[in-house]
Each structure stands twice: as C-alpha cells, then as structure tokens.
Amino acid sequence: MVDLYPSRVKGNPSILERKDPVIHDSTEKDGPLSQQQLDDYEKNGYLFLPNLFSGEEVKVLQQELKRNMDQNKGSNEPHIVKESQSEEIRSVFDVHQNDEFFHRLSSENRIVHIAEQLLGSQVYINQSRINFKPGFKGKDFYWHSDFETWHMEDGMPNMRAVSCSIILTDNYHYNGPLLLIPGSHRYYVQCIGETPENHFEQSLKMQNIGVPDHDSVHWLLEKGGKIDSATGPAGSVLFFECNTMHGSNSNISPMPRSNVFFVFNSIKNQLVDPFANVSPRPEFIANRTNIKPIEPVAMDLTKKIIAAS
Ligand code: 6CS
Ligand code: FE
C-alpha cells in the first residue's frame, strides 16, 4: 500500500499538506451537528460541546470513573499504564471492550451519530482509554498528532478517524486540559527518528519518538494563531480530528483531570500493516480483530443496566 504520510525520517523533517478530506461529504442533514458546527470543525480540527451529558448523568460517569480506577489499582496488566516515577494510574486502555459501563457509553448515539456525520460512514472503535491525570502526580502528554503514531505504528491508512473525549472531572486551565493548535490538522508534520520495537512500553508514559520538532510546532502556531485549551465542566465532550496537533501539561493542582477517550475510525479505514518497520502494536491499543460497525443506542446513563433476564 502506498504510504501517503511517510514519517520517522532521518535528517530534516518536512511538513506535508493533508491529502484527505476533513469532513467526508456530510452536511447538517446527515447528523446532529449544524452546518456552523461542521464548518468550525473543518476549519479548526476540533469541536467542543459543553454539557452534552446532564448533571445527573455526570454523577453516574464519576461513580463509574472511580469504580474503574479502584478496580485497576495495583494491577500490572499491560493495558494499565502507570505514571513514570509513581504507582498512580496514567491510563486504562480498551475500556470499551473490558468494562461493561464504558462499553455501553461507547455506543451511545449522542456521540456515535456525531462521529458518523464527521467521518461520512459507519464507525467502529480503534482505541479507547481513560486518562486519569491525577492531582499533583498527573504527568504531561507532549505535543503530537495521534494520526502520525496510528499511521506509523498501527497502520491506519488515511486521516478518517476522530477522537471523542468525554470530560469526567471539570477541566480547568490549571489541571492539565487538552491544548490544541487550530488548523494544525491540515498539515502532516514528519517526525525525526527510527521507531524502537515495542515503542508503546515507553511512549504511553512519555512519548519522545513520533513528536514534532520545535520549528514545526512554531510554524503550526504561526499558521493557527493561538493555542486553544479544552476547558469546561464534566459532561462536556471534545471531538478532535485524528491529525490535530495537541498535548497537555502536567497537573500540579489538587484536582484530577480525568477524561475518557473513544477513537472512532471509519469502517472504511481499517488498519493495515504498520508503515514503520515494526510489529503491530497489541490489540488493547489498536483494535484489528472482529471489527464491526457500531449499532448506536439511545441511553439514559442514570438508568442502571438491567441484566438480561
Ligand atoms: O500512542 C497512542 O495511541 C496514544 N498516545 C497518545 C499520546 N495519544 C493517542 C493515544 O492515546
Ligand atoms: Fe493524543
């Protein structure tokens, strides 16, 4: 397969023009987003939807967040990633597959219909995770394009995926909210350096390969004009395009900044072999097996799961 987006180069990296459409032929008739919201997403590469989930639903989201964290405390399983220099949990991956509540949440039609509208197709989940970013100990996520990693290390062919970040604890300017450069999704920043084997064992804690050089970040910022931050109350949702340059600072405040991320990939953009010369990453990071389009369901999260009789 032709590599439209080569990266992990030696010497000087280039900034390439994006080759894929941002929104795939959708209009406001194709889903919940208005034309203005679609235009904003097309222009900026992200869209923030305050209070998509109600106050009552937020209480349930926060109970389930605490349950998931308590269940995974002390675990050494590979899908539980600890912060460097502490036993604090940084991320729990694959929650749409290994946690009943987050599995249900991942097929909730308020978010799936938006992903289908943006991607112009049915969708499935390529990756899910809860990033806890605990108070005092939550470390940063340096600048990166998710797509650069997903293309090079997971074999995602085209830019036809969107991350849905549901804010579970209020995101303030001081507890490490997601930072984004508007318009950066239009450019593919090549990164320097060879990909180590089993790179994820390091990169999920602190990513040093597959990150842009300083001049490229300066260049994107010049173009975009500012660094935006996704602050807002729990229950809000940020959709950001797979190639939007983003990162977040460490959290020295007492308040956790916990979000759950569902990465919706177009059913027409399934993973192939990695474009870097490495073995594919494990299933808990990049789903490859039994891929089926999500059947969206309407749910009220405050209604407990009624076990099938
Ligand atoms: O490598 C990955 O897939 C993960 N790394 C980052 C910093 N963001 C996307 C994803 O969670
Ligand atoms: Fe990321």
Side-chain angles (χ1 to χ4, degrees), residues 129 144 146 240 246:
R129 66 201 182 272
H144 63 284
D146 290 341
F240 60 105
H246 66 286

Side-chain angles (χ1 to χ4, degrees), residues 93 127 129 141 144 146 149-150 204 207 246 281 285:
F93 276 82
Q127 178 186 104
R129 66 201 182 272
F141 290 81
H144 63 284
D146 290 341
T149 292
W150 296 340
L204 296 183
Q207 187 169 356
H246 66 286
R281 298 200 295 175
I285 300 180

Side-chain angles (χ1 to χ4, degrees), residues 15 30 32 64 104 118 120 148 155 161 165 171 180 182 189 217 226 232 242 247 276 281 297:
I15 296 181
D30 299 308
E64 298 295 341
R104 275 173 75 216
L118 293 174
E148 195 276 347
S165 169
N171 281 209
L180 308 113
V189 175
V217 177
K226 64 175 178 176
C242 60
R281 298 200 295 175
V297 291

Side-chain angles (χ1 to χ4, degrees), residues 3-296:
D3 183 357
L4 296 173
Y5 298 106
S7 184
R8 316 280 165 106
V9 297
K10 294 187 180 63
N12 295 325
S14 306
I15 296 181
L16 313 176
E17 290 280 341
R18 176 193 185 101
K19 296 179 175 63
D20 292 290
V22 176
I23 290 178
H24 296 260
D25 303 328
S26 292
T27 67
E28 58 186 0
K29 292 193 306 304
D30 299 308
L33 297 182
S34 68
Q35 195 53 51
Q36 182 59 58
Q37 288 173 315
L38 291 170
D39 296 347
D40 290 348
Y41 181 84
E42 171 87 34
K43 175 168 166 280
N44 295 322
Y46 54 90
L47 184 68
F48 189 76
L49 302 174
N51 303 310
L52 193 69
F53 293 94
S54 70
E56 283 309 300
E57 290 180 306
V58 165
K59 284 190 194 121
V60 174
L61 287 167
Q62 292 178 335
Q63 285 158 10
E64 298 295 341
L65 168 73
K66 184 176 180 324
R67 174 195 50 77
N68 183 282
M69 184 156 76
D70 291 346
Q71 268 170 356
N72 290 305
K73 240 183 205 113
S75 162
N76 289 315
E77 289 189 78
H79 68 286
I80 313 293
V81 179
K82 302 281 176 49
E83 290 290 7
S84 45
Q85 295 140 17
S86 92
E87 277 306 299
E88 293 283 335
I89 298 181
R90 178 175 172 87
S91 307
V92 173
F93 276 82
D94 221 18
V95 292
H96 73 290
Q97 305 231 70
N98 60 34
D99 183 296
E100 174 56 31
F101 173 80
F102 288 102
H103 170 72
R104 275 173 75 216
L105 182 61
S106 69
S107 49
E108 221 285 338
N109 66 10
R110 277 170 283 181
I111 55 176
V112 176
H113 284 162
I114 290 175
E116 289 175 332
Q117 188 179 14
L118 293 174
L119 301 178
S121 73
Q122 289 191 295
V123 298
Y124 74 96
I125 292 196
N126 169 63
Q127 178 186 104
S128 68
R129 66 201 182 272
I130 298 175
N131 282 351
F132 288 89
K133 201 174 275 198
F136 299 114
K137 295 259 176 70
K139 296 265 181 296
D140 63 295
F141 290 81
Y142 187 70
W143 289 115
H144 63 284
S145 150
D146 290 341
F147 177 76
E148 195 276 347
T149 292
W150 296 340
H151 181 72
M152 296 306 290
E153 299 190 48
D154 299 330
M156 182 181 279
N158 291 79
M159 296 177 182
R160 194 168 182 179
V162 59
S163 285
C164 168
S165 169
I166 302 176
I167 292 187
L168 300 177
T169 61
D170 295 349
N171 281 209
Y172 301 103
H173 67 277
Y174 50 71
N175 66 343
L178 207 72
L179 306 175
L180 308 113
I181 301 181
S184 55
H185 62 305
R186 299 189 167 288
Y187 305 97
Y188 183 67
V189 175
Q190 289 188 320
C191 300
I192 308 164
E194 187 99 7
T195 311
E197 209 39 53
N198 296 325
H199 179 222
F200 67 92
E201 290 168 355
Q202 165 57 32
S203 68
L204 296 183
K205 280 179 183 294
M206 190 71 68
Q207 187 169 356
N208 300 310
I209 297 279
V211 292
D213 62 288
H214 293 176
D215 289 347
S216 296
V217 177
H218 273 296
W219 188 88
L220 290 175
L221 185 51
E222 283 285 301
K223 279 265 179 196
K226 64 175 178 176
I227 293 177
D228 216 345
S229 67
T231 54
S236 304
V237 179
L238 173 79
F239 284 86
F240 60 105
E241 212 274 341
C242 60
N243 186 46
T244 302
M245 192 60 72
H246 66 286
S248 58
N249 290 319
S250 62
N251 181 9
I252 59 168
S253 85
M255 281 77 112
R257 187 235 67 182
S258 304
N259 297 349
V260 59
F261 294 76
F262 297 122
V263 178
F264 292 107
N265 191 21
S266 167
I267 200 71
K268 298 177 181 164
N269 193 38
Q270 295 185 41
L271 305 186
V272 297
D273 288 339
F275 289 87
N277 183 22
V278 289
S279 331
R281 298 200 295 175
E283 186 67 18
F284 74 80
I285 300 180
N287 287 183
R288 294 172 179 279
T289 54
N290 62 6
I291 302 296
K292 292 189 291 297
I294 295 174
E295 294 301 322

